[in-house]
Amino acid sequence: MDTQGVRWTADQVLALAPDDASRSAGSRLGTAGPWSGTGSDGRGAVWGLCRGSGSTPYRTVVDTTGPAYACSCPSRKFPCKHALGLLLLRSGDEAAVTVTEAPDWAARWLEARRERAGGARTHGAEGSGRPAAADPEAARRRAERRAARITSGARELEQRLADLLRGGLAAAELSGYGLWEETAARMVDAQAPGLAGRVRELGAIPGSGAGWPVRLLEECALTHLLDRAWLSVDRLPAPLAATVRTRVGLTAPAEGPAVRDRWLVLAQHDSSDGRLTTRRAWLHGRESGRTALLLSFGAAGRAPGPALPVGTVLDAVVIRHAGALRAELGERFGPPAPLDAPPPGGTVGDALAAYGHALREDPWLDSWPVTLTDVVPIPTDHGWQLADAAPTGPGGGGGVGGEAIPVSGPALGRPGLWRLAALSGGRPVTVFGECGHRGFTPLAAWSADAPGETVPLH
Amino acid sequence: MDAWEELVTSALLGTDRRPPALAGATAGDAPVALLDAAALHTVRRRAGLRPGPAAEPPEPAPEDARRPLPEPARRRLGQLLAGRAAPAPSGGRRGAAPDLAELLPQWLVAANEHGYKAPASALPALLDAARARTDLRPQALTLAGPRGLWLARLNPEWRFALRGGGGRAALPDVRDGDTVRALWEEGLFAERVALLASVRAEDPAAALELLGSTWAAERAEDRLMFLDSLRAGLAGEDEEFLEAALSDRSRNVRSTAAELLSALPGSALSGRMAKRASSCVSLDRTEGAVTIVVEAPHECDAGMQRDGLIPTPPTGRGERSWWLGQLVEAAPLSCWPARFGGRTPEEIVALPVADDWQGELHAAWCRAAVRQRDAAWSRALLGAPAAPPATGPGTSSLAERAKLLSTLPEEERARWVASFIAAHGLSEAFQLLGVCAVPWARPLGGAVIDALDIARDAGSYPWSFSGVMGLAERCLSPDATGQLEALTALPAEPEDASPGAGGYWTEAFQRLVSTLHLRAAMRDELRGPIE
């Protein structure tokens, strides 16, 4: 067995970067030039000295099983460019990092880290791992106060929606964004961030091009549905009530069953609204067959949370939030393993049916994660679509009479779409993505020639 | 109008003006009733979404039988293409890390030499790179192969790839006469140029026949381009065609035909030129010493004009010296030893020239040596590399000297430039280095490294040599790292050195070493695991 664990590819390393600047800075350091004293302990730890502008080189050490990083540089980026450079060096040149004895400075950090990890594990085994609330009575009163504020917020929003409909949506176009901003601010005051986010999106619809009245009515109606659901949340069945609470903006703790599985890291991408970076990672459980979404957030300029190497399989525990796709990554066992095959999938019809099915649990879902097996990307006059490949007959790939789903608007503008087209070359591929009422957003793809190679599409 | 459209209209105009037709909705709660109905409709519509009909799929990309890149090389390509998007910071200080964008061209050349195909998922980045840098296009498109062209047809931004000129386009079998003729008569210009070249490589006579079949009907600029493509593999069989082109309607076509004929030893035109040139240049032994005497032509007659001489000189030049220059340039160099009593080129170049004609005459010989790819004359006109450029024979222009050098065999070229650098340093060597074969031969690489070391000891800053440094990073053989490693140590700073220069030099040498390591790694990755 390979005692060094799996060497990450350059793409996987670059996915760890907190932002584009670190990505390019790290790339420049991913060569032997500035490095000396590099080594690895064969158990997932890598270290090295990187010459910077100062007289003493920076000491960089990475534990890839975490992954965790330490570097003596002053950068507040995490991981810093030196850690990225070191991992890139290892990914590019096997001979550059050999198994040796760790120098003192690296050994100290690694030892402390492994002790902590061991400690956490024993502690986790003893109890629930989550400290009990200091004063359950006070917590309950706080929750009640917040629920009351949200209720008054929801009532206010209902009133606004009714006024809007009474006067007509055409007036909404004239009133512009200001009115919505103000309403969103009121929802923030009401401690209902979920409602505030919806209201902000409503404000953007009148400027979103042809067909906006239909979209605005749909989204107003679903916001209304959420208001009504909250106002009678006590009478809803427990799973739906949990969904409503999450949608309104009450974060449910991850207390679902902890599932240990071989989790395939399907896709990962960051989005930023200027103040907050959101990192979304999709996992698919090899044995459980379940898909999970890991969300993490970071203030501008900071990495949102540990990045996962896309296209590898993690032996790990995943804990679900109640009533949502969202989950948290728990303990990991060993380094990531290479992928053998893409997740199982279905046809375009199956994907839409899965979305429809998921709406029964959560009618506010915009999309649902699915895998399409054997689809062909086809350019049309209105963008691209993904079509079921015709069953292989004598004609081969005729596609006439086949079924298709359009690629969603935002995905049409991304470079990933061209990677998908190139990967396919007009032949069937397997595509993972989000399928919803706006179409399909491809996130990762696999070709028949190289089923173990995940091509990221975001 | 269906129920949903009713709801939208009502919502758009407002329930006050347009109450929705909903059962049980009173005027007061009409908005709520409308939202209820709309929510129901929206969720129902979303839950019931069905696929649409599939459009006509694109024709699948042609199969590419070439080998896939070895895994490490494939990762490297990803890095190189990503590095292109994020170039190293501009300005004098470049740090110790290699400049990936500069290594992409030679990586592409090497990958193509091995006969690899690009990984499909890298094609968009590769096409983007080729779009931004025209110098990358031929190699990038070759690597991209048929699937790259297939993809480029789908994206208007990559239309450049379809214009041809880059990559190996799909050409018919040159022995398939009908297909060849059809493509020749109906193909795009770029396809026709490529077709002519491939037919010519296989069967020169057939290529001339193909060209002759449509020659009279071609546009002047196309005739010029086709004629120019005969430069490759020029041979005696082409003379008849070229001689006919001397009477072409277009002046540019005429002069190109004349230029090609003059480069063809033994052609009738070069015989005529030899005669004309010999009559202008002779030996004079009267005053004891042997001297070359020049009698420039007095007129540029119709025959000379037909043979490509341009009668009107550029402003500021005398007519007669202008004509002489053109005559000597077009005359075969082989006529001169006979004219000068069996002297070698070296001896001829060393002879004094009367009445200030030396510059004119030597410059014309230089142009002739380049045009006729004559190594013996180039050698003579270059003179000894150690001689100061101003005193040497031939020309002192570095650009001209670089052209002369390019006619010498690779090894001799490298030795000459190495000696030149050893004698004169690096400041003048940039253009000369540009014509040397990559990777640089050992003596040349050694001379460049020594000269850089001397420049450092002399106390200059490394960015004064950034041009040569950049070339060295791309052209030094990776085997030269041994000689370089010693230079990367931080030296004790001498008193008269520029402040901090030592550190910058160390950094520059480190970048050089790491670039060479990187190139060696790239080379080994492309070789792949030994089977």
Side-chain angles (χ1 to χ4, degrees):
Chain A
M1 205 196 131
D2 181 10
T3 50
Q4 276 212 53
V6 178
R7 264 195 317 145
W8 294 344
T9 68
D11 284 341
Q12 288 166 351
V13 173
L14 290 173
L16 304 170
D19 52 30
D20 283 342
S22 328
R23 203 163 290 142
S24 57
S27 297
R28 280 201 293 280
L29 291 173
T31 55
W35 291 97
S36 57
T38 53
S40 150
D41 68 351
R43 289 193 292 153
V46 196
W47 55 82
L49 301 171
C50 184
R51 188 194 308 270
S53 47
S55 53
T56 38
Y58 295 123
R59 296 166 162 183
T60 311
V61 52
V62 180
D63 181 354
T64 57
T65 57
Y69 319 88
C71 183
S72 60
C73 76
S75 168
R76 277 183 291 169
K77 300 275 179 67
F78 193 75
C80 67
K81 60 182 177 179
H82 306 101
L84 292 170
L86 181 61
L87 291 173
L88 281 173
L89 178 70
R90 191 175 77 131
S91 82
D93 184 0
E94 215 152 343
V97 180
T98 49
V99 176
T100 58
E101 191 72 20
D104 280 351
W105 56 269
R108 271 199 304 278
W109 181 80
L110 287 167
E111 223 166 273
R113 199 185 126 61
R114 283 176 181 150
E115 247 165 50
R116 263 201 314 278
R121 206 167 299 163
T122 19
H123 178 250
E126 279 166 7
S128 70
R130 190 174 296 282
D135 180 357
E137 185 56 26
R140 196 183 55 78
R141 276 201 304 272
R142 268 202 309 279
E144 270 174 13
R145 268 204 303 280
R146 183 167 179 194
R149 297 179 80 158
I150 295 175
T151 300
S152 73
R155 288 223 172 85
E156 185 179 343
L157 184 53
E158 270 299 277
Q159 195 52 52
R160 298 224 169 186
L161 288 173
D163 291 346
L164 178 70
L165 268 293
R166 203 168 279 125
L169 298 181
E173 192 189 15
L174 299 176
S175 65
Y177 198 70
L179 179 72
W180 297 108
E181 253 317 92
E182 189 210 318
T183 310
R186 301 280 303 142
M187 294 305 116
V188 172
D189 290 346
Q191 293 186 304
L195 293 179
R198 283 197 159 264
V199 171
R200 260 185 230 111
E201 279 168 29
L202 289 178
I205 293 177
S208 66
W212 67 266
V214 170
R215 288 195 293 277
L216 185 55
L217 177 58
E218 285 182 344
E219 293 308 320
C220 283
L222 288 177
T223 305
H224 163 72
L225 186 67
L226 184 55
D227 281 336
R228 306 297 315 175
W230 170 261
L231 293 175
S232 51
V233 71
D234 298 338
R235 283 177 282 139
L236 295 178
L240 188 57
T243 300
V244 169
R245 287 196 187 93
T246 311
R247 287 281 170 195
V248 165
L250 293 171
T251 41
E255 39 196 26
V259 180
R260 180 170 172 181
D261 200 341
R262 294 188 302 121
W263 294 95
L264 159 55
V265 185
L266 294 165
Q268 171 176 272
H269 64 263
D270 296 351
S271 56
S272 172
D273 67 353
R275 285 167 298 185
L276 195 69
T277 307
T278 306
R279 173 165 287 169
R280 302 160 69 83
W282 288 104
L283 304 183
H284 181 264
R286 272 290 189 224
E287 271 99 52
S288 63
R290 304 196 66 164
T291 303
L293 171 65
L294 306 183
L295 277 180
S296 54
F297 306 94
R302 305 293 297 271
L308 298 172
V310 172
T312 60
V313 180
L314 307 175
D315 181 0
V317 166
V318 163
I319 307 125
R320 241 162 223 289
H321 288 256
L325 280 168
R326 197 177 162 191
E328 301 291 334
L329 189 60
E331 194 185 343
R332 292 164 62 173
F333 307 90
L339 168 70
D340 44 358
T347 64
V348 169
D350 296 340
L352 282 168
Y355 170 60
H357 197 82
L359 285 175
R360 296 200 310 200
E361 312 285 319
D362 180 354
W364 297 278
L365 274 175
D366 281 325
S367 61
W368 187 251
V370 290
T371 301
L372 301 174
T373 303
D374 287 345
V375 286
V376 182
I378 300 177
T380 71
D381 294 341
H382 321 282
W384 288 68
Q385 57 174 221
L386 298 176
D388 289 329
T392 42
V400 180
E403 294 188 319
I405 184 170
V407 172
S408 70
L412 286 175
R414 291 184 197 139
L417 181 65
W418 291 106
R419 280 202 293 281
L420 176 60
L423 188 73
S424 146
R427 293 186 183 79
V429 284
T430 297
V431 185
F432 168 79
E434 295 171 76
C435 174
H437 61 91
R438 294 194 189 96
F440 191 90
T441 304
L443 296 175
W446 299 264
S447 73
D449 313 337
E453 187 204 328
T454 306
V455 175
L457 298 180
H458 194 271
Chain B
M1 206 173 347
D2 69 12
W4 169 247
E5 278 178 53
E6 287 275 6
L7 291 181
V8 174
T9 309
S10 189
L12 200 53
L13 298 175
T15 54
D16 284 353
R17 252 179 293 173
R18 180 90 176 231
L22 293 166
T26 60
D29 63 3
V32 175
L34 192 154
L35 285 170
D36 280 345
L40 187 62
H41 181 94
T42 301
V43 177
R44 190 171 56 206
R45 190 186 69 78
R46 290 181 181 182
L49 275 174
R50 296 301 305 149
E56 190 59 35
E59 197 62 32
E63 291 289 349
D64 191 340
R66 293 177 296 171
R67 291 184 291 163
L69 284 167
E71 186 52 34
R74 181 196 171 93
R75 282 199 298 267
R76 181 72 66 191
L77 175 63
Q79 277 177 348
L80 292 174
L81 289 171
R84 184 196 71 83
S90 56
R93 187 98 189 273
R94 292 171 55 210
D99 188 350
L100 294 178
E102 290 300 330
L103 298 179
L104 185 55
Q106 58 177 261
W107 189 94
L108 291 173
V109 170
N112 284 327
E113 279 169 4
H114 284 280
Y116 291 120
K117 62 177 169 187
S121 55
L123 287 175
L126 192 60
L127 288 169
D128 280 342
R131 177 169 177 247
R133 279 179 65 177
T134 46
D135 63 314
L136 292 178
R137 283 184 191 176
Q139 296 292 345
L141 291 178
T142 300
L143 188 71
R147 187 171 291 205
L149 286 184
W150 176 90
L151 191 64
R153 267 192 282 277
L154 301 176
N155 187 341
E157 291 198 348
W158 298 326
R159 201 162 282 156
F160 70 87
L162 309 177
R163 283 198 289 267
R168 282 172 226 140
L171 287 173
D173 185 343
V174 295
R175 281 157 304 192
D176 179 356
D178 290 340
T179 320
V180 166
R181 183 149 296 277
L183 184 61
W184 177 252
E185 276 161 13
E186 287 153 28
L188 300 170
F189 179 70
E191 289 171 327
R192 303 181 66 206
V193 170
L195 179 69
L196 186 66
S198 66
V199 174
R200 186 169 164 81
E202 188 80 11
D203 181 356
L208 281 183
E209 196 188 318
L210 204 59
L211 188 55
S213 67
T214 56
W215 182 254
E218 305 285 357
R219 297 182 309 156
E221 54 267 41
D222 291 358
R223 288 203 303 280
L224 183 63
M225 294 300 289
F226 286 133
L227 201 60
D228 199 63
S229 71
L230 296 184
R231 206 178 285 274
L234 191 66
E237 289 74 39
D238 300 323
E239 185 178 356
E240 194 187 339
F241 188 89
L242 292 170
E243 189 73 34
L246 286 175
S247 314
D248 197 273
R249 298 189 295 281
S250 152
R251 199 182 82 179
N252 287 332
V253 173
R254 289 199 300 274
S255 61
T256 303
E259 188 198 328
L260 289 173
L261 280 170
S262 70
L264 199 57
S267 72
L269 179 133
S270 63
R272 294 195 291 275
M273 284 301 186
K275 210 159 142 224
R276 290 183 188 119
S278 303
S279 72
C280 296
V281 183
S282 56
L283 272 190
D284 180 28
R285 294 192 178 78
T286 47
E287 289 166 35
V290 184
T291 309
I292 295 179
V293 179
V294 174
E295 176 70 24
H298 291 275
E299 57 166 353
C300 183
D301 60 31
M304 287 158 77
Q305 289 188 35
R306 182 174 185 273
D307 283 349
L309 255 66
I310 297 162
T312 325
T315 37
R317 289 203 59 175
E319 278 187 332
R320 295 183 60 202
S321 72
W322 170 245
W323 297 332
L324 175 85
Q326 293 181 82
L327 277 184
V328 174
E329 179 182 355
L333 288 161
S334 55
C335 75
W336 300 113
R339 180 79 182 139
F340 296 129
R343 286 181 169 80
T344 63
E346 275 80 8
E347 289 164 339
I348 296 171
V349 165
L351 288 173
V353 183
D355 301 331
D356 294 337
W357 280 104
Q358 174 165 352
E360 198 71 54
L361 187 62
H362 282 189
W365 276 337
C366 285
R367 294 196 298 274
V370 172
R371 189 189 277 194
Q372 296 166 34
R373 316 293 309 158
D374 191 316
W377 273 86
S378 293
R379 204 173 288 130
L381 288 160
L382 280 165
T391 65
T395 172
S396 59
S397 147
L398 287 167
E400 293 287 323
R401 296 182 131 212
K403 284 190 203 161
L404 288 173
L405 273 172
S406 68
T407 71
L408 299 184
E410 281 181 10
E411 203 187 325
E412 185 181 353
R413 209 184 303 165
R415 254 185 290 121
W416 197 95
V417 178
S419 310
F420 180 90
I421 290 171
H424 310 296
L426 286 169
S427 47
E428 309 259 81
F430 184 74
Q431 274 175 307
L432 305 181
L433 284 169
V435 297
C436 291
V438 178
W440 289 340
R442 184 176 291 270
L444 177 58
V448 171
I449 295 170
D450 285 343
L452 286 172
D453 193 18
I454 291 166
R456 170 174 67 170
D457 291 345
S460 26
Y461 280 114
W463 42 83
S464 313
F465 298 89
S466 58
V468 172
M469 272 288 188
L471 264 185
E473 285 165 20
R474 295 194 293 278
C475 306
L476 266 180
S477 164
D479 306 328
T481 38
Q483 193 184 350
L484 277 167
E485 300 273 10
L487 301 177
T488 57
L490 193 64
E493 202 150 281
E495 275 176 18
D496 55 344
S498 317
Y504 293 129
W505 275 105
T506 302
E507 196 174 86
F509 280 125
Q510 264 170 3
R511 187 177 61 242
L512 193 49
V513 170
S514 61
T515 308
L516 295 187
H517 278 306
L518 185 62
R519 282 176 48 216
M522 282 168 31
R523 184 189 61 191
D524 296 344
E525 287 161 3
L526 284 168
R527 281 184 191 150
I530 294 132
E531 286 129 33

